[in-house]
Amino acid sequence: MYDHPTPAAEFDYEWPTCDPCGRQLRHDELGRTACRLCQDRIDLALRQLPGPDGLYAQLADRLVPGRGGDGQVVSVSRTPPLPLRLEPLSLMARGGVVTILQTWQVDWHEHFGWRHPRWNGGLQQQLDEAVHALRVNLEGAASTHPAFGEFAQEVAALVRQCERQITGERPERPIAVACPCGTVLRVTVSTPGARCRGCSTQYARTEVLDLPLAERAAA
């Protein structure tokens, strides 16, 4: 006598989803970590950073206090300004944009079993080299790297931070939403997706924004 699967067991399978955005993968994307839409989105974000006209180079124009998004010097107080604005400086210095991208490049080299990467020149040249290497290997990472979703979120966040410093736009206000498991997630209106730390549920952008506000859920 043979055991046959119950009808409920036949429907336990969950269709694979994209790690960055939570969208169900298409048939030709099965086995990948990220969908090709997210891969293209991150490639576009990376392309905005390097070069003499890129976002990273433009940060240098925002180091002087009192400069608005249009590049005009404005008077905000009679007290002497700081020598440099700390926000764009922190993005440009060691530990900022360049270091974060290089850390991911090292991580990818370890994932693929390659030698440790080396960089030349100043920070601008190192940024250009890191971005080029990440873009060249983006297909492989989006296909197999288990933390590609985290990489995608960090790159998108870096680009938004640079854009805000250049344009003078205020940071997006975080929103606290509640997962059904009780974990509070902090997201913004442009969050591409989020994974709950409590139950590991992956939410797409529209799904995470549909979650109830944490305060209301608590009430």
Side-chain angles (χ1 to χ4, degrees), residues 10 15 42 51 53 79 87 105 118 120 123 137 146 172 199-200 202 209 212 215:
E10 296 178 358
W15 195 267
I42 296 306
D53 299 322
T79 58
E87 294 86 354
Q105 187 182 354
R118 295 290 184 267
N120 303 302
L123 289 177
N137 298 296
E172 291 180 322
C199 63
S200 299
Q202 176 68 46
L209 293 178
E215 294 79 7

Coordinates of all heavy atoms in Angstrom, one line a residue, residues 10 15 42 51 53 79 87 105 118 120 123 137 146 172 199-200 202 209 212 215:
E10 N 0.0 19.3 -1.4 CA 0.3 19.6 -2.8 C 0.4 21.1 -3.0 O 0.9 21.6 -4.0 CB -0.8 19.0 -3.7 CG -0.9 17.5 -3.7 CD -2.0 17.0 -4.5 OE1 -2.8 17.8 -5.1 OE2 -2.2 15.8 -4.6
W15 N 6.0 30.0 -4.4 CA 6.7 30.5 -5.6 C 7.9 31.4 -5.2 O 7.7 32.3 -4.3 CB 5.8 31.2 -6.5 CG 6.4 31.4 -7.9 CD1 7.1 32.4 -8.4 CD2 6.3 30.4 -9.0 NE1 7.5 32.2 -9.7 CE2 7.1 31.0 -10.1 CE3 5.8 29.2 -9.1 CZ2 7.2 30.3 -11.3 CZ3 5.9 28.5 -10.3 CH2 6.6 29.1 -11.4
I42 N 19.4 48.7 -9.8 CA 20.6 48.9 -9.1 C 21.7 49.3 -10.0 O 22.6 50.1 -9.7 CB 21.0 47.7 -8.3 CG1 19.9 47.4 -7.2 CG2 22.3 47.8 -7.6 CD1 19.6 48.6 -6.3
G51 N 32.6 59.1 -12.0 CA 32.9 60.1 -13.1 C 33.0 61.5 -12.5 O 32.5 61.8 -11.4
D53 N 31.3 64.0 -13.4 CA 30.0 64.7 -13.2 C 29.0 63.8 -12.4 O 27.8 64.1 -12.3 CB 29.3 64.9 -14.6 CG 30.2 65.8 -15.5 OD1 30.7 66.8 -14.9 OD2 30.3 65.6 -16.7
T79 N 26.4 83.7 13.2 CA 27.5 83.0 13.8 C 28.4 82.4 12.7 O 27.9 82.0 11.6 CB 27.0 81.9 14.7 OG1 26.2 81.0 13.9 CG2 26.1 82.4 15.8
E87 N 27.8 66.4 6.7 CA 27.0 65.4 6.0 C 27.7 65.0 4.7 O 28.0 63.8 4.4 CB 25.6 65.8 5.7 CG 24.8 66.0 7.0 CD 25.0 67.4 7.6 OE1 25.8 68.1 7.1 OE2 24.3 67.7 8.6
Q105 N 32.5 44.9 -2.8 CA 33.3 44.3 -3.8 C 34.2 43.1 -3.2 O 34.3 42.1 -3.8 CB 34.2 45.3 -4.4 CG 35.0 44.8 -5.6 CD 36.0 45.8 -6.2 OE1 36.0 47.0 -5.8 NE2 36.8 45.4 -7.1
R118 N 42.2 45.0 -5.5 CA 43.1 46.1 -5.2 C 42.6 47.4 -5.9 O 42.1 47.3 -7.0 CB 44.5 45.8 -5.6 CG 45.2 44.6 -4.9 CD 45.5 44.9 -3.5 NE 46.2 43.8 -2.8 CZ 45.5 42.9 -2.1 NH1 44.2 42.9 -2.0 NH2 46.2 42.0 -1.4
N120 N 43.5 51.6 -6.8 CA 44.6 52.6 -7.1 C 44.1 54.0 -7.0 O 42.9 54.3 -7.1 CB 45.2 52.4 -8.5 CG 45.7 50.9 -8.7 OD1 46.5 50.4 -7.9 ND2 45.1 50.2 -9.7
L123 N 40.4 58.7 -3.8 CA 39.1 58.2 -3.5 C 38.2 58.2 -4.7 O 37.4 57.3 -4.9 CB 38.4 59.0 -2.4 CG 39.0 58.7 -1.0 CD1 38.4 59.6 0.1 CD2 38.9 57.3 -0.6
N137 N 30.1 42.6 -12.5 CA 29.7 41.3 -11.9 C 28.3 41.3 -11.3 O 27.9 40.5 -10.5 CB 30.7 41.0 -10.7 CG 32.1 40.8 -11.2 OD1 32.4 39.9 -12.0 ND2 33.0 41.7 -10.8
P146 N 23.5 35.5 -1.8 CA 22.4 35.5 -0.9 C 22.0 36.8 -0.2 O 20.9 37.0 0.3 CB 22.8 34.5 0.2 CG 24.3 34.5 0.1 CD 24.7 34.7 -1.3
E172 N 13.7 61.7 3.9 CA 12.4 61.1 4.0 C 12.1 60.7 5.5 O 13.0 60.2 6.1 CB 12.2 59.9 3.1 CG 12.2 60.2 1.6 CD 12.0 58.9 0.8 OE1 12.6 57.9 1.2 OE2 11.3 59.0 -0.2
C199 N 10.1 37.3 11.7 CA 9.6 36.1 11.1 C 10.2 35.8 9.7 O 9.8 34.8 9.0 CB 8.1 36.1 11.0 SG 7.5 37.5 9.9
S200 N 11.1 36.7 9.2 CA 11.8 36.6 7.9 C 10.8 36.7 6.7 O 11.2 36.3 5.6 CB 12.5 35.2 7.8 OG 13.5 35.2 8.8
Q202 N 9.3 38.3 3.6 CA 9.8 39.4 2.7 C 8.6 40.1 2.1 O 7.6 39.5 1.6 CB 10.5 38.7 1.5 CG 11.0 39.7 0.4 CD 12.0 40.6 0.9 OE1 13.0 40.2 1.5 NE2 11.9 41.9 0.6
L209 N 4.1 48.9 2.6 CA 3.4 50.2 2.9 C 1.9 49.9 3.3 O 1.3 50.8 3.8 CB 3.4 51.1 1.6 CG 4.8 51.6 1.3 CD1 4.8 52.4 0.0 CD2 5.4 52.4 2.4
P212 N -0.2 47.9 8.8 CA -0.7 48.9 9.8 C 0.4 49.7 10.5 O 1.5 49.1 10.7 CB -1.6 48.1 10.7 CG -0.9 46.7 10.7 CD -0.5 46.5 9.3
E215 N 1.9 52.2 15.9 CA 1.1 52.8 17.0 C -0.3 52.3 17.0 O -0.9 52.0 18.0 CB 1.2 54.3 16.9 CG 2.5 54.9 17.2 CD 3.4 54.9 15.9 OE1 2.9 54.4 14.9 OE2 4.6 55.2 16.0

